[in-house]
Amino acid sequence: MERKKHRFLYIILLLLLSALLAAGWYLYSQLQGRETAKKTGDKLYAEGQYGEAMEAYAQLMEDITPLRYTPLGKELPQAGAEGVLSCVDALLETEDGPRYLMEQNVFETVPDHATHPDAPVASLREALDQRALFARAVLANEEGDLKEALALVKASGLTSPRALALIDELTDTLNRQEILLSALKAREEGRLEEALALVKESGLQPELIDEIQRQITDENDRKLIDQAWEAMEAKAPQRAMDILSELSNNNIRRTMKRVLTDARKDMIQELRTKYADKVLAGAWYSLVLGDEPQLTGDRRYEDLKQVFTPEDRVVSGLFSLIRLTDGRVELLGDTLGATKVVEEITDAKDAALGLNHGLVLHRNGTVTHLGARQYGRDAAEEWRGIVQVAAGAFHSVGLTRRGMVVAAGLNLDSQCRVSGWTNVVAVDAGLRHTVALLKSGRVVATGDNSFGQCDVSGWRDVIEIRCGGNFTVGLTADYRLLATGDNSCGQCNVSDWQEVMAFDAGLWHTVALLSDGTIVTAGANDHDQCALEGVSLFPAEEKAQRTAPVFGSETEMVYIGDPKDGPWFYCSGEGSVIIAFDVDTGKMKATRADLICTYGHPPVGILSGGGNEPQRSVSASKLAKQNKAVFALTGDYFTFGYNADGLQIRRGHVFKEKKDEVGFGFFPDGSMRIIDPYATTAEELLAQGVNDSWVFGPTLIEDGLALDIHKHPLAYNDVTMRSVMASICPYHHIGAAYGSCTLAQVVENLLDYGCTIAYNLDGGRSSMMVFLGETVNRSAFLGGGWRGLQDMVGFLASDLVPEP
């Protein structure tokens, strides 16, 4: 019994030991399986195979819950905190995981089943709350609430790959949206170019790029159309057509060109009606009776400087003018010895003026001869049925109402051989030739042809004619000029003028009015008769700066007159120099240079050696030749120390900068200005484009008024040679070298010439003016005795200047 009892106990112990061994083995197997499953899940998770990772993590779970992950078709059992977080993290990395977790309330229910003792429920709750924020961020992003999504994902604090990628994506998208909003605002406010750039930068709504581009194009087209109409209203049809050629829309361009072409024809006809007889040229003057009448010419003809109005009917002659008012005749200039005759005329219809005689056409078709000279007086006053008259140097011409021509006066060159002409609609006369315009648009001529002034037989479609001294000009039906004859001064260089509304020919120059209101000139300018070049008859309309040379030629042109009395001139596409030798007035002898600049070619400083640093002193002519200067005038003598201190710049190099004497310089807008060293610096001048400034003094004229020069230390009253740089207006400057005189006399002379600013340069034996390498003024010192120089004021450069 006792043995049985022990055997039973032995069996029980054996069973207990077996149970313990089985339990231990089971526990060991479970732990080993969990470790293997976790490692497998972690590996798959790290590799991004979240579905397989879920299956591995499922082995860690102690219970089964109704939570289901639809894409895998697997149930999500409880796996403790670690397993739950691994499963949740795996789901959060999938596309539909965040929505599934939110819709299945995983974040609320899982903590209640996470009974794994290794992790407290509170820690799991905090971790799940973070992941819940991330899941909400993903859903907010999907619903378009980007700002909310960014705030949530940042609040989650997660640093998983998807969380970090979502932060970058949301930040970039929100930035792009801000840029797009700025673009839309810029577009709404009309800043289209800015809007286009912002849309491109945003990378959003690419369809807006084409839309805004079309809007920019349409807006540009509208602006171009407005500009074209403004050009038409400003009487600039060619500019209007040029503007329309830039339109992007071909249909609009063709339509607008047709509209403007019609408007252009009407405008041209209106301008021709208004201005056809408002442009006049004489020997040394030009007159244009525009909205603001313009008269220019040599100051020796002050008697021609009368006050005109646009409504005046004026007839030009070489040295005089006739104003016709209600049938009465007013002689301006040379009286022709006919003052009494003129006073008796009350029925004048037209008139003509020659060299020393004139003709008045009465309303009844008869003619009165003016002047002390015969020139066919008796014959002309017998004419009847005359509708137009013309006067040459020594002959008179009349056109009858039947289209025939009569002539009287000196006939040595056959200038009066006109009896066979018929169907004539207009006549004119030069010095010794006569020209007629036929009804067919052809032109005939007779008289002196030594310059080819009668070579008009090939002209066609001419609608108007004018005779200069020894040249002939015709206007064609397309409003271009033809010219033949004497071209020694460039007076026939008119072929490139377009849309000429009115024109006239003087003794050696031609003047015309273009459809944009601009006056153009060609020919001699020794008395400023071409000074109206580029002037606008429509001053209220801003005009582009004209850069055409005074003589209307792009090539270099040189004329050398009498070596003692001048004039000399040089012209190129960059500007022109006209040297006038004034006669002895009893007070002084002066040599004056008109410097007509074009944009970018102002007078500049030149130094000995031809570089930017002065070398030894040389003669003025050699200094000019070294720099290839067409014109040069003595400078401020700065290398010898006699000049005052101030701002002294040459070719962009600052030689001196002190607060002392005022100087002068030429600015990019074409103006000559006084430079005050107390009001500016060399650096500021260079920044404004002033590359040269001179200091000597004193300033003689400023703003058209003479200054009190007697207070200046260099304003001595002794009689000596003087050198002055002055200016009449922008781009038109004056260089002058005077013989024996005082500065007060210089000021008087420059004011009389119309200078608005003038500055005294070094004088005495330094007072030299060089033209094309030749010193053109004469020394007042016995034996000459010129001084060597290291600097001068130079104007233009040319290979025509000889080598030194």
Side-chain angles (χ1 to χ4, degrees):
M1 187 68 181
E2 187 68 17
R3 184 178 295 175
K4 288 182 179 179
K5 183 177 178 182
H6 284 292
R7 185 182 297 166
F8 179 74
L9 290 173
Y10 177 77
I11 291 171
I12 291 174
L13 289 173
L14 186 59
L15 291 173
L16 287 173
L17 180 60
S18 298
L20 288 172
L21 289 173
W25 178 256
Y26 175 78
L27 181 60
Y28 173 81
S29 299
Q30 287 287 347
L31 291 174
Q32 191 66 28
R34 285 178 180 276
E35 183 66 24
T36 301
K38 184 176 184 305
K39 289 181 178 179
T40 302
D42 290 342
K43 183 174 182 297
L44 293 169
Y45 178 85
E47 295 173 351
Q49 303 180 49
Y50 300 121
E52 289 80 358
M54 284 294 297
E55 292 180 346
Y57 287 140
Q59 300 178 32
L60 304 175
M61 301 191 179
E62 300 173 344
D63 196 6
I64 297 176
T65 68
L67 302 176
R68 184 174 300 278
Y69 179 48
T70 303
L72 291 177
K74 301 292 184 179
E75 295 179 344
L76 178 63
Q78 300 176 60
E82 185 177 349
V84 167
L85 289 177
S86 296
C87 291
V88 169
D89 287 341
L91 287 171
L92 288 177
E93 292 293 332
T94 65
E95 182 178 357
D96 298 324
R99 184 172 294 280
Y100 170 80
L101 291 171
M102 294 299 294
E103 290 178 350
Q104 298 299 324
N105 297 318
V106 172
F107 299 110
E108 288 77 15
T109 59
V110 164
D112 297 334
H113 300 282
T115 58
H116 195 284
D118 295 338
V121 173
S123 299
L124 177 63
R125 175 74 269 171
E126 182 180 349
L128 287 174
D129 287 344
Q130 287 181 300
R131 287 154 177 80
L133 289 172
F134 177 72
R136 288 170 56 196
V138 172
L139 298 183
N141 181 36
E142 292 176 355
E143 294 169 1
D145 193 348
L146 305 186
K147 290 184 178 180
E148 177 67 12
L150 183 60
L152 289 170
V153 71
K154 286 184 176 180
S156 74
L158 295 183
T159 58
S160 65
R162 188 175 185 186
L164 295 176
L166 184 60
I167 290 175
D168 290 342
E169 176 189 342
L170 290 170
T171 301
D172 181 65
T173 304
L174 285 171
N175 287 338
R176 289 174 180 272
Q177 287 185 345
E178 287 295 325
I179 294 173
L180 181 62
L181 288 174
S182 298
L184 296 175
K185 182 179 180 182
R187 182 186 183 188
E188 181 180 353
E189 294 175 353
R191 295 178 281 117
L192 300 180
E193 295 289 351
E194 180 183 347
L196 181 61
L198 289 172
V199 171
K200 290 180 178 179
E201 181 182 350
S202 75
L204 304 175
Q205 299 189 28
E207 67 278 2
L208 272 181
I209 294 177
D210 291 339
E211 186 177 332
I212 295 176
Q213 187 63 64
R214 286 193 299 271
Q215 189 175 353
I216 290 174
T217 299
D218 293 342
E219 183 67 23
N220 287 339
D221 280 353
R222 281 194 293 272
K223 290 180 180 178
L224 289 171
I225 291 172
D226 290 342
Q227 291 172 10
W229 278 114
E230 289 174 1
M232 288 297 294
E233 292 173 356
K235 300 178 178 60
Q238 187 58 52
R239 189 161 84 245
M241 288 298 183
D242 292 342
I243 291 171
L244 288 181
S245 65
E246 300 176 18
L247 286 173
S248 301
N249 190 305
N250 291 332
N251 292 329
I252 295 178
R253 182 168 62 249
R254 285 192 292 268
T255 300
M256 285 302 300
K257 281 196 172 184
R258 284 196 298 270
V259 172
L260 283 189
T261 297
D262 293 339
R264 183 181 190 176
K265 291 178 180 177
D266 294 341
M267 184 213 71
I268 288 177
Q269 186 57 44
E270 177 185 348
L271 286 173
R272 288 276 299 151
T273 300
K274 183 176 181 180
Y275 293 111
D277 59 351
K278 301 298 185 180
V279 174
L280 304 103
W284 295 318
Y285 70 87
S286 296
L287 171 64
V288 180
L289 297 170
D291 295 342
E292 293 185 5
Q294 307 277 347
L295 174 63
T296 185
D298 193 291
R299 289 189 174 270
R300 285 176 290 182
Y301 296 90
E302 284 294 336
D303 54 342
L304 300 183
K305 299 276 186 181
Q306 305 294 327
V307 177
F308 294 97
T309 67
E311 293 75 25
D312 283 339
R313 171 78 172 92
V314 180
V315 176
S316 64
L318 291 179
F319 305 108
S320 56
L321 294 164
I322 284 180
R323 182 182 359 219
L324 302 174
T325 306
D326 296 329
R328 296 190 175 275
V329 177
E330 179 184 1
L331 274 173
L332 307 172
D334 192 339
T335 62
L336 303 175
T339 304
K340 184 176 181 181
V341 175
V342 166
E343 291 174 352
E344 297 174 352
I345 298 175
T346 60
D347 63 343
K349 177 183 178 182
D350 199 0
L353 290 169
L355 184 63
N356 255 331
H357 78 293
L359 304 170
V360 174
L361 174 63
H362 299 273
R363 292 169 183 165
N364 63 3
T366 61
V367 174
T368 294
H369 187 281
L370 303 178
R373 302 294 181 90
Q374 179 58 243
Y375 303 145
R377 174 198 302 272
D378 295 339
E381 293 191 342
E382 294 294 325
W383 294 344
R384 298 293 182 268
I386 303 300
V387 295
Q388 184 197 347
V389 290
F394 310 107
H395 71 291
S396 303
V397 183
L399 173 64
T400 72
R401 63 171 59 98
R402 295 188 178 185
M404 300 179 70
V405 181
V406 292
L410 198 62
N411 193 34
L412 294 178
D413 297 293
S414 300
Q415 57 264 55
C416 294
R417 190 177 295 174
V418 297
S419 59
W421 293 351
T422 59
N423 295 318
V424 176
V425 295
V427 293
D428 204 4
L431 289 178
R432 300 186 304 277
H433 73 294
T434 305
V435 180
L437 173 62
L438 307 184
K439 189 175 182 181
S440 64
R442 301 183 67 175
V443 181
V444 294
T446 185
D448 177 30
N449 195 35
S450 56
F451 295 94
Q453 60 265 52
C454 293
D455 294 340
V456 296
S457 59
W459 289 5
R460 299 290 186 274
D461 298 323
V462 176
I463 60 175
E464 194 172 338
I465 55 171
R466 292 288 188 274
C467 287
N470 290 309
F471 65 104
T472 306
V473 184
L475 178 66
T476 63
D478 61 351
Y479 307 109
R480 292 178 178 270
L481 289 182
L482 305 172
T484 184
D486 179 19
N487 196 34
S488 59
C489 299
Q491 58 265 52
C492 292
N493 295 334
V494 298
S495 59
D496 60 338
W497 296 352
Q498 298 181 16
E499 294 196 337
V500 175
M501 299 293 96
F503 71 103
D504 199 12
L507 190 60
W508 292 299
H509 74 294
T510 306
V511 182
L513 170 66
L514 305 186
S515 60
D516 65 352
T518 301
I519 302 170
V520 289
T521 63
N525 193 35
D526 52 333
H527 292 277
D528 289 337
Q529 58 266 53
C530 285
L532 291 180
E533 170 71 24
V535 173
S536 173
L537 260 66
F538 316 129
E541 174 70 14
E542 184 176 352
K543 300 293 179 185
Q545 175 64 40
R546 294 183 58 84
T547 59
V550 170
F551 300 104
S553 171
E554 294 298 331
T555 59
E556 291 181 297
M557 180 187 303
V558 177
Y559 173 79
I560 305 297
D562 187 294
K564 293 184 177 180
D565 298 320
W568 293 12
F569 71 74
Y570 166 91
C571 174
S572 74
E574 297 175 347
S576 63
V577 181
I578 303 96
I579 306 291
F581 297 80
D582 290 349
V583 297
D584 188 353
T585 62
K587 294 182 179 179
M588 69 184 82
K589 291 183 178 180
T591 304
R592 184 183 66 244
D594 278 80
L595 307 176
I596 311 300
C597 302
T598 60
Y599 183 78
H601 299 281
V604 298
I606 58 175
L607 302 173
S608 60
N612 292 331
E613 292 287 345
Q615 298 180 12
R616 62 184 181 85
S617 299
V618 296
S619 67
S621 60
K622 184 173 182 179
L623 198 160
K625 291 175 183 178
Q626 288 175 344
N627 291 270
K628 289 292 183 181
V630 173
F631 167 82
L633 179 69
T634 183
D636 58 13
Y637 208 44
F638 76 102
T639 57
F640 288 86
Y642 295 132
N643 63 315
D645 291 329
L647 297 181
Q648 195 171 65
I649 306 172
R650 293 293 187 282
R651 300 290 179 93
H653 177 75
V654 181
F655 283 90
K656 185 183 296 184
E657 183 171 9
K658 294 185 178 181
K659 304 293 186 183
D660 196 349
E661 177 66 53
V662 297
F664 78 94
F666 297 99
F667 286 71
D669 63 359
S671 64
M672 172 184 170
R673 304 183 202 169
I674 299 303
I675 294 174
D676 185 349
Y678 292 95
T680 188
T681 66
E683 181 180 359
E684 291 173 343
L685 291 174
L686 291 172
Q688 295 176 57
V690 179
N691 293 320
D692 297 275
S693 64
W694 292 266
V695 184
F696 195 86
T699 304
L700 305 178
I701 300 171
E702 191 170 9
D703 296 327
L705 300 175
L707 302 185
D708 185 1
I709 60 176
H710 299 289
K711 296 180 180 179
H712 193 279
L714 295 182
Y716 15 73
N717 294 319
D718 57 322
V719 175
T720 187
M721 297 183 68
R722 308 286 186 178
S723 295
V724 176
M725 182 57 68
S727 182
I728 293 177
C729 62
Y731 301 103
H732 186 180
H733 311 303
I734 304 297
Y738 292 89
S740 301
C741 65
T742 65
L743 280 180
Q745 290 173 319
V746 170
V747 171
E748 180 183 359
N749 181 264
L750 292 174
L751 285 174
D752 184 60
Y753 194 64
C755 294
T756 58
I757 183 172
Y759 191 90
N760 180 58
L761 292 169
D762 187 28
R765 296 182 186 272
S766 298
S767 184
M768 282 169 281
M769 181 182 291
V770 180
F771 177 74
L772 293 179
E774 297 290 335
T775 302
V776 293
N777 64 314
R778 292 178 288 276
S779 175
F781 296 95
L782 293 177
W786 297 117
R787 179 185 289 131
L789 300 175
Q790 290 188 347
D791 82 301
M792 298 184 80
V793 183
F795 179 68
L796 299 182
S798 171
D799 288 336
L800 296 178
V801 179
E803 294 294 330

